[in-house]
């Protein structure tokens, strides 16, 4: 999640467990509400990402996509957090394996691109968008291999997959 620290203190769940809860529409378990805009906006949002990222294929490294989109990317230690973002800068996890760091970068990239469009949405919206992105690249040769297997499984079970 974008900011897990407070939620973990309340739920005693790991970041992975919280994301899995969001993607199975179990939002109230972690004190969130459903998506603010539904899910209809997400496919169009995903389709425009490549053009905003210099025409790179969506199965490219999320760090390369972020750089091509003009974001400054800082890898920092963020205990209990996936990352943070602004319309110009992404702060992603420096700890964990490359798959977890890629997930952090992707999720924050989506937040950042959304902020550039004036989309001030909640974590439910952005994790559903992250799931849709993963579903979009799942069949590409290298795309799905960039992210943790658990996120691909969770994306397949999410409301966005139906």
């Amino acid at each position: 999640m974008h900011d897990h620290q407070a939620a973990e203190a309340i739920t005693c769940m790991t970041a992975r467990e919280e994301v899995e809860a969001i993607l199975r529409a179990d939002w109230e378990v972690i004190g969130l509400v459903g998506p603010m805009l539904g899910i209809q906006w997400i496919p169009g949002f995903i389709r425009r990402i490549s053009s905003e990222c210099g025409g790179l294929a969506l199965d490219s490294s999320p760090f390369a996509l972020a750089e091509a989109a003009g974001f400054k990317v800082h890898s920092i230690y963020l205990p209990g957090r996936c990352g943070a973002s602004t319309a110009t800068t992404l702060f992603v996890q420096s700890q964990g394996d490359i798959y977890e760091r890629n997930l952090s970068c992707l999720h924050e990239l989506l937040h950042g691109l959304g902020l550039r469009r004036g989309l001030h949405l909640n974590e439910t919206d952005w994790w559903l968008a992250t799931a849709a992105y993963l579903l979009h690249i799942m069949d590409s040769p290298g795309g799905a291999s960039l992210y943790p297997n658990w996120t691909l499984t969770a994306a397949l079970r999410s409301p966005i997959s139906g």
Side-chain angles (χ1 to χ4, degrees):
M1 271 178 68
H2 205 245
D3 184 355
H4 288 296
Q5 199 164 12
E8 281 186 319
I10 296 168
T11 66
C12 298
M13 297 170 81
T14 65
R16 173 182 172 173
E17 290 168 333
E18 288 186 24
V19 170
E20 288 173 330
I22 291 169
L23 294 183
R24 69 174 177 268
D26 226 354
W27 309 302
E28 70 283 350
V29 168
I30 54 176
L32 294 178
V33 295
M36 294 172 63
L37 294 180
I39 58 174
Q40 309 83 330
W41 65 277
I42 296 174
F45 178 83
I46 299 297
R47 280 191 300 273
R48 290 189 298 271
I49 292 174
S50 179
S51 65
E52 293 183 40
C53 295
L56 288 179
L58 294 183
D59 61 356
S60 301
S61 158
F63 287 93
L65 289 165
E67 182 179 325
F71 284 97
K72 293 178 186 173
V73 180
H74 300 283
S75 292
I76 62 174
Y77 178 64
L78 295 162
R81 295 178 63 134
C82 178
S85 50
T86 70
T88 61
T89 307
L90 309 179
F91 298 93
V92 300
Q93 289 288 358
S94 61
Q95 71 274 14
D97 61 30
I98 187 63
Y99 309 106
E100 296 289 333
R101 293 192 324 262
N102 282 341
L103 180 62
S104 174
C105 186
L106 171 63
H107 182 71
E108 296 311 324
L109 173 62
L110 299 182
H111 267 285
L113 291 171
L115 288 171
R116 287 181 177 177
R117 293 185 190 160
L119 294 173
H120 299 278
L121 304 175
N122 67 28
E123 280 304 297
T124 302
D125 291 294
W126 292 117
W127 277 111
L128 289 172
T130 303
Y133 187 103
L134 294 172
L135 291 170
H136 186 78
I137 64 165
M138 191 172 283
D139 293 328
S140 68
S145 67
L146 295 171
Y147 301 97
N149 287 333
W150 68 264
T151 56
L152 304 173
T153 301
L156 285 168
R157 296 178 183 151
S158 72
I160 198 77
S161 71

